[in-house]
């Protein structure tokens, strides 16, 4: 076999190996992304769904877990609004909630911040862009996911409902 033929064979083998590795990587990525999210046995997953008429800046919440007060929120790390129709998965662990049992009594008081502003640890935002929702309470089981559906608009107001997640994660 000539030197040129050997080089062609080597290049073809390397190209084939690279192409095979790329196909395998894409397959693994697709498999990983397409798997449904399942909360761990010691956590509760909240699927925040924005059935809103417009994008919103932030979702901020004050909540109690078995009578202990906490606060938190969700926003985009890239400093863009949360998109209408978007679903954001947020989790809370038994340790974070300082709970011992298999269930926890939760009460969430949500606020929609209608424009994007940088989140702050105090969760204090201008009243003119803040919309308060009625509190929701439920007993949540660890290892379970819940749909937290926010509906409405900044002019008509927002409502929230909570139910056990209907997807594969519950």
């Amino acid at each position: 076999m000539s030197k040129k033929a050997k080089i062609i064979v080597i290049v073809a083998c390397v190209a084939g190996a690279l192409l095979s590795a790329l196909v395998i990587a894409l397959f693994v990525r697709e498999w990983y992304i397409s798997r449904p999210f399942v909360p761990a046995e010691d956590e509760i997953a909240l699927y925040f769904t924005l059935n809103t008429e417009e994008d919103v800046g932030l979702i901020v919440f004050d909540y109690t877990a078995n009578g202990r007060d906490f606060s938190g929120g969700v926003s985009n790390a890239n400093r863009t609004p949360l998109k209408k129709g978007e679903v954001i998965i947020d989790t809370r662990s038994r340790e974070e909630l300082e709970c011992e049992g298999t269930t926890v009594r939760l009460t969430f008081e949500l606020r929609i911040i209608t424009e994007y502003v940088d989140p702050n640890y105090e969760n204090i935002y201008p009243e003119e862009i803040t919309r308060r929702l009625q509190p929701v309470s439920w007993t949540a089981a660890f290892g379970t996911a819940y749909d937290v559906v926010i509906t409405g608009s900044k002019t008509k107001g927002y409502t929230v409902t909570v139910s056990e997640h209907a997807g594969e994660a519950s």
Side-chain angles (χ1 to χ4, degrees), residues 1-155:
M1 184 181 282
S2 71
K3 186 176 181 179
K4 186 176 180 181
K6 287 179 184 179
I7 292 173
I8 291 173
V9 168
I10 291 171
V11 168
C13 289
V14 169
L18 290 174
L19 183 59
S20 295
L22 179 63
V23 168
I24 290 169
L26 289 173
F27 175 77
V28 168
R29 178 183 173 272
E30 184 61 31
W31 170 79
Y32 184 77
I33 289 174
S34 66
R35 291 184 321 169
F37 175 79
V38 178
E41 289 182 20
D42 70 336
E43 67 184 4
I44 295 163
L46 304 173
Y47 281 69
F48 287 94
T49 303
L50 295 173
N51 284 347
T52 56
E53 293 181 18
E54 67 275 313
D55 300 343
V56 302
L58 312 169
I59 301 171
V60 178
F61 39 84
D62 298 306
Y63 63 104
T64 61
N66 289 345
R68 290 183 186 91
D69 293 329
F70 300 92
S71 67
V74 291
S75 65
N76 280 330
N78 64 2
R79 305 175 91 178
T80 60
L82 301 168
K83 303 293 182 202
K84 64 182 178 180
E86 188 170 2
V87 177
I88 303 115
I89 302 174
D90 189 49
T91 61
R92 295 287 180 261
S93 71
R94 184 179 283 123
E95 182 179 347
E96 288 174 289
L97 298 174
E98 301 173 14
C99 294
E100 298 291 324
T102 59
T103 63
V104 59
R105 183 71 184 161
L106 296 174
T107 298
F108 270 71
E109 294 183 32
L110 286 91
R111 288 178 278 154
I112 301 297
I113 310 305
T114 59
E115 299 172 18
Y116 182 84
V117 293
D118 286 333
N120 61 70
Y121 287 108
E122 296 82 23
N123 278 337
I124 298 172
Y125 300 94
E127 282 300 317
E128 61 272 10
I129 61 170
T130 300
R131 304 296 184 270
R132 296 178 187 282
L133 287 69
Q134 288 295 315
V136 289
S137 297
W138 76 102
T139 299
F142 287 99
T144 304
Y146 296 89
D147 290 315
V148 180
V149 180
I150 299 167
T151 306
S153 70
K154 64 180 163 184
T155 56

